[in-house]
């Protein structure tokens, strides 16, 4: 018998690695600033953002908990403990989109981690744009991931108004999960974003329009006008507050189609991957739950023993 009061959710958790590529120290943003961005993502993709109250009443019912979460990777591609943050000093003044220079050490950037296990986010100084993203059909391309300007990432530190609430990354990860702009893939064209519950919109919006904005545009009878507060428009961070149910469906489909092996197990050191079939593995190091190397194992404390074959064992020495 189903209990109508009980609803189960299946949350998809996406492991993230943030590659900070910096020339001067101000671009080398703090761990706290990075975590402030992850916090925004976990609010926006779960409809836990407090500004959801600003969504116009007419669209509140389709404002969606996308059931997608993000976590900083705690295991790197070699099986070692990590904070999920890499830091690379560069001689490049600023990076552009063409040929993705920030995504390779050979051009002054940082190499990605395997894109079938991690969402790669590069943070650097960008030329004349807030950020950019690849699309899901490029899952296996080495450049898969998103790039965000260091002054538009997170909510503290180097962020600059009006792009200081972390919505550049929310928007770009929307693209990374197959969303188009709400006005479609062209410009000023009343195009379609292939999502039914977002109204047709003539073109992008900037700043912070009042509601309703552009009613009956594109020859429609839509008195509510543009959904300019959708994360997939170009309005100010403080004016964005929703993904729709249709956008959620499209993102989940993209994950299922292209990204079915994404796993949250590389976000927390697992307790059950001891590989007893491998002999002669050599202990590399022992770390605590914060990733700090431990030289003298403590008792009654969970510690992680990391071996040269990539395996990790969680042990507690009981006193
Ligand atoms: Zn965009
Ligand atoms: Ca639409």
């Amino acid at each position: 018998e189903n209990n109508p009061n009980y609803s189960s959710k299946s949350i998809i958790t996406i492991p993230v690695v943030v590659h900070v590529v910096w020339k001067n120290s101000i671009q080398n943003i703090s761990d706290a600033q990075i975590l402030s961005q992850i916090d925004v993502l976990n609010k926006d993709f779960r409809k836990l953002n407090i500004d959801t109250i600003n969504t116009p009443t007419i669209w509140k019912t389709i404002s969606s908990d996308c059931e997608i979460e993000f976590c900083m990777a705690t295991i790197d591609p070699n099986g070692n403990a990590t904070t999920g943050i890499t830091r690379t000093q560069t001689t490049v003044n600023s990076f552009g989109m063409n040929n993705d220079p920030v995504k390779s050490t050979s051009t002054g950037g940082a190499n990605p981690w395997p894109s079938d296990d991690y969402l790669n986010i590069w943070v650097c100084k960008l030329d004349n744009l807030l950020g950019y993203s690849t699309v899901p059909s490029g899952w296996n391309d080495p450049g898969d991931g998103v790039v965000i300007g260091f002054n538009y990432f997170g909510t503290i530190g180097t962020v600059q108004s009006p792009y200081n609430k972390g919505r550049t990354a929310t928007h770009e990860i929307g693209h990374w999960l197959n969303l188009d702009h709400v006005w479609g893939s062209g410009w000023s064209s009343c195009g379609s974003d292939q999502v039914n519950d977002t109204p047709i919109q003539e073109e992008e919006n900037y700043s912070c329009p009042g509601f309703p904005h552009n009613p009956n545009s594109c020859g429609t009878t839509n008195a509510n006008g543009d959904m300019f507060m959708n994360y997939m428009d170009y309005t100010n961070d403080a004016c964005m507050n929703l993904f729709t149910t249709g956008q959620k469906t499209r993102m989940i489909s993209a994950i299922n189609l292209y990204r079915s092996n994404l796993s949250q197990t590389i976000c927390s050191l697992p307790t059950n991957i001891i590989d007893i079939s491998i002999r002669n593995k050599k202990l590399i190091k022992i770390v605590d739950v914060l990733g700090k190397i431990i030289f003298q194992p403590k008792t009654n404390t969970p510690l992680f023993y990391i071996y040269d074959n990539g395996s990790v064992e969680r042990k507690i020495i009981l006193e």
Side-chain angles (χ1 to χ4, degrees):
E1 188 183 55
N2 288 327
N3 179 348
N5 295 321
Y6 178 79
S7 71
S8 66
K9 297 197 175 214
S10 58
I11 309 300
I12 295 168
T13 305
I14 297 178
V16 173
V17 54
V18 175
H19 305 286
V20 179
V21 179
W22 58 281
K23 182 176 184 194
N24 62 48
S25 59
I26 199 163
Q27 298 161 5
N28 192 13
I29 63 170
S30 68
D31 288 6
Q33 184 172 347
I34 292 167
L35 296 178
S36 76
Q37 178 64 67
I38 301 303
D39 187 51
V40 169
L41 297 176
N42 283 326
K43 291 193 165 101
D44 289 354
F45 283 82
R46 292 300 317 276
K47 198 185 168 183
L48 295 170
N49 50 304
I50 53 168
D51 54 0
T52 191
I53 58 169
N54 295 336
T55 301
T57 306
I58 186 76
W59 290 318
K60 278 195 197 300
T61 55
I62 57 168
S63 171
S64 186
D65 170 4
C66 297
E67 300 183 3
I68 298 168
E69 295 184 352
F70 301 84
C71 58
M72 299 302 289
T74 53
I75 300 180
D76 77 8
N78 297 319
N80 294 322
T82 176
T83 59
I85 299 169
T86 75
R87 295 182 182 277
T88 303
Q89 192 169 9
T90 186
T91 58
V92 176
N93 287 326
S94 74
F95 292 91
M97 279 176 68
N98 288 343
N99 301 318
D100 278 341
V102 77
K103 299 179 181 176
S104 171
T105 53
S106 65
T107 46
N111 290 339
W113 290 7
S115 56
D116 54 349
D117 289 326
Y118 304 91
L119 162 56
N120 284 273
I121 301 178
W122 287 266
V123 177
C124 61
K125 182 166 167 50
L126 282 173
D127 306 326
N128 302 320
L129 75 164
L130 304 180
Y132 68 97
S133 175
T134 56
V135 294
S137 54
W139 282 142
N140 292 318
D141 295 346
D144 181 69
V146 308
V147 183
I148 310 288
F150 78 98
N151 38 355
Y152 312 115
F153 194 75
T155 60
I156 59 174
T158 60
V159 288
Q160 288 173 4
S161 178
Y163 305 109
N164 56 350
K165 296 193 180 300
R167 263 65 193 257
T168 300
T170 300
H171 175 108
E172 296 304 335
I173 292 170
H175 285 314
W176 186 77
L177 293 173
N178 212 28
L179 297 187
D180 261 332
H181 294 130
V182 278
W183 63 92
S185 54
W187 296 93
S188 302
S189 58
C190 298
S192 171
D193 61 356
Q194 316 292 326
V195 171
N196 287 334
D197 60 4
T198 54
I200 291 176
Q201 178 171 317
E202 182 177 347
E203 61 186 356
E204 74 275 19
N205 292 298
Y206 295 94
S207 187
C208 198
F211 174 83
H213 182 66
N214 285 342
N216 310 317
S217 67
C218 299
T220 69
T221 55
N222 167 25
N224 302 313
D226 294 352
M227 190 184 277
F228 60 85
M229 72 300 301
N230 192 286
Y231 296 125
M232 299 314 290
D233 205 328
Y234 273 176
T235 42
N236 291 349
D237 280 9
C239 298
M240 298 179 152
N241 49 54
L242 85 152
F243 286 121
T244 68
T245 304
Q247 287 175 315
K248 170 192 178 175
T249 300
R250 193 169 161 86
M251 289 192 278
I252 300 293
S253 300
I255 292 172
N256 289 334
L257 186 58
Y258 297 106
R259 235 356 169 182
S260 52
N261 60 334
L262 269 177
S263 160
Q264 72 269 38
T265 55
I266 52 178
C267 282
S268 57
L269 288 161
T271 57
N272 58 352
I273 61 165
I274 300 169
D275 188 348
I276 57 170
S277 68
I278 297 174
R279 309 293 178 206
N280 301 323
K281 62 187 178 184
K282 195 168 133 247
L283 182 66
I284 301 173
K285 60 184 171 187
I286 305 170
V287 299
D288 67 11
V289 291
L290 297 173
K292 273 205 308 236
I293 294 175
I294 302 296
F295 296 102
Q296 197 69 51
K298 288 174 267 192
T299 54
N300 301 316
T301 305
L303 296 172
F304 300 94
Y305 291 64
I306 298 171
Y307 296 90
D308 63 351
N309 62 6
S311 67
V312 179
E313 292 177 13
R314 182 174 183 269
K315 294 184 184 178
I316 301 178
I317 300 170
L318 294 173
E319 191 162 82

